[in-house]
Amino acid sequence: MPNTSEHPRRIRVQRDGPLLIEGPVEVVGEDGEVSVSRRFMVAICTCHRTRTPPWCDTSHRRRTKRDEKS
């Protein structure tokens, strides 16, 4: 998927969260595997906790037990 200088991809960086990228996108992993998403916005995991790499599955969120008080 070529990227042009007239319409560069926008990437939003969030503290303690994923990279949000305007799609469609191709992500090339360290092993050379290519993952493709044609969605209008994708979330790329940066915490390495996801079960669906490279896509974020919100595993980075803190989870508390129901009986614990905030």
Side-chain angles (χ1 to χ4, degrees):
M1 290 178 225
N3 208 11
T4 65
S5 60
E6 295 94 33
H7 184 69
R9 296 276 181 240
R10 179 170 294 181
I11 300 173
R12 294 187 179 130
V13 179
Q14 299 180 326
R15 181 185 310 236
D16 300 325
L19 294 176
L20 298 177
I21 304 172
E22 291 181 359
V25 298
E26 288 183 351
V27 177
V28 181
E30 287 181 316
D31 60 359
E33 182 177 341
V34 178
S35 299
V36 178
S37 176
R38 303 212 181 279
R39 299 184 77 175
F40 69 94
M41 181 73 69
V42 297
I44 304 295
C45 179
T46 59
C47 72
H48 305 290
R49 294 181 194 150
T50 185
R51 292 183 181 147
T52 58
W55 318 117
C56 178
D57 65 2
T58 68
S59 294
H60 61 276
R61 293 183 182 164
R62 293 183 190 174
R63 307 216 187 262
T64 58
K65 294 179 184 176
R66 289 185 184 191
D67 59 343
E68 288 182 15
K69 294 184 181 182
S70 304

